Amino acid sequence: MSSAIEPAIRLEVADAIATITLDRPEALNALTIPMKRQLVAAFETARIDRTVRAVILTGAGRAFCAGQDLRERLDPAAPSLGEELRDHYNPIIRAMRALPQPIIGAINGVAAGAGASLAFACDLRIAADTASFVLAFGRLGLVPDSGATWTLPRLVGPAKAAELALLDEPLSAAEALRLGLVTSVVTADALPGEARAVANRLATAAPAAVAETKRLMAAGQASDLETALAAEAEAQDRLGRSTDHDEGLAAFVEKRPPRFTGG
Ligand code: T3D
């Protein structure tokens, strides 16, 4: 299935994978208010589609996303920046973090400003060797937003996050790999295939276990050890009664790959 939720956001679902493409290449996929609404809608469509087991987020053309459309900000009728975040950016980040399916960021080029924040909010990132990350907020007299002050220190550590946020230096794909920010770096041509291969692996895993892993890993960032131990026991108790767990045990004993159905 392929649908244009709006011209600038494309959603395609095939073989249990939803691919969401930021599709405004002439402006390096800079985000307008309609695009932000459509992006939330695309994640919601993926969330409720029970056939979707993994999501890829990528950009059309040579950029992943150049962040906020700065021309749109020149409109005297533009909302205040606080409203912009509360009404349009924060819902995207919440939708991404709350999505039960894992999101793979296929970072095909520059990810700047809120575009970098979108990349950081993905569960995994794979980069083209032409990709780079730049916070770019400071040069506009702004602070990092769309969750970057929460995600980036957790991904690369507080010292590197402070350097990236305060100096606004671009981070190359190679350096992002060294820091563990991205899982792998491939050529731009190989990126869609590599992202799909990772998405396929996730799409054949037990969906409830994947969703719970995503949820617990995020919750663990903000909780103490006792809370994490209790949450793991509660989730494991539930998953231990699932037919997918039975299938995993049977597959081990029968020396074959498991066939998870989501039960
Ligand atoms: O403001 C709020 O609502 C609060 C939220 C803020 C969140 C944010 O995202 S703040 C950060 C906003 N983004 C930026 O500051 C990045 C601005 N862009 C750049 O610094 C550069 O374009 C890049 C480093 C990303 C890429 O540079 P380069 O040399 O490869 O491309 P370019 O020539 O600068 O851009 C190509 C075209 O895209 C160009 O259009 P033109 O002249 O060919 O018609 C350029 O204007 C356009 N473009 C790039 N970024 C944006 C943009 N148009 C609108 N908004 C952009 N952010």
Side-chain angles (χ1 to χ4, degrees):
M1 183 193 82
S2 174
S3 60
I5 289 185
E6 270 279 326
I9 299 285
R10 263 189 297 122
L11 171 69
E12 292 155 84
V13 177
D15 304 326
I17 299 166
T19 302
I20 298 174
T21 305
L22 309 171
D23 192 6
R24 201 180 161 227
E26 68 284 2
L28 306 188
N29 305 318
L31 297 163
T32 60
I33 287 177
M35 279 175 81
K36 289 169 226 166
R37 291 203 179 103
Q38 293 139 28
L39 197 48
V40 172
F43 284 119
E44 178 59 12
T45 303
R47 188 184 71 79
I48 61 178
D49 185 337
R50 293 186 62 83
T51 70
V52 171
R53 295 224 192 152
V55 175
I56 296 173
L57 178 65
T58 195
R62 70 180 174 90
F64 175 70
C65 175
Q68 169 62 35
D69 184 308
L70 296 176
R71 291 201 175 85
E72 188 185 62
R73 292 299 315 162
L74 299 174
D75 182 345
S80 75
L81 293 188
E83 284 175 298
E84 184 80 80
L85 292 179
R86 282 187 281 270
D87 295 348
H88 302 295
Y89 281 104
N90 296 354
I92 300 173
I93 303 305
R94 287 195 192 100
M96 293 175 74
R97 298 312 307 159
L99 197 74
Q101 301 98 327
I103 306 172
I104 300 140
I107 315 302
N108 53 301
V110 66
S117 305
L118 285 184
F120 303 153
C122 295
D123 297 292
L124 298 172
R125 284 152 293 279
I126 301 168
D129 52 11
T130 50
S132 60
F133 301 84
V134 58
L135 289 190
F137 295 92
R139 63 174 86 139
L140 295 170
L142 298 176
V143 295
D145 64 25
S146 306
T149 59
W150 191 91
T151 51
L152 190 59
R154 286 168 168 80
L155 289 166
V156 300
K160 191 70 194 180
E163 182 190 326
L164 294 171
L166 292 170
L167 299 181
D168 269 346
E169 288 294 329
L171 182 76
S172 68
E175 178 70 353
L177 181 64
R178 204 186 59 74
L179 291 169
L181 179 62
V182 302
T183 308
S184 59
V185 176
V186 297
T187 63
D189 285 349
L191 184 66
E194 182 68 15
R196 234 179 147 72
V198 174
N200 270 323
R201 277 182 61 181
L202 291 164
T204 52
V210 170
E212 286 293 331
T213 301
K214 173 170 170 168
R215 187 179 68 78
L216 290 178
M217 297 291 268
Q221 302 287 330
S223 73
D224 57 27
L225 177 62
E226 281 306 319
T227 308
L229 290 173
E232 289 169 8
E234 189 271 328
Q236 215 69 303
D237 197 43
R238 220 166 340 100
L239 293 172
R241 286 192 288 270
S242 68
T243 51
D244 275 351
H245 175 54
D246 294 342
E247 167 61 10
L249 289 176
F252 173 76
V253 172
E254 293 161 23
K255 297 185 187 299
R256 59 168 176 80
R259 287 182 297 271
F260 294 120
T261 57

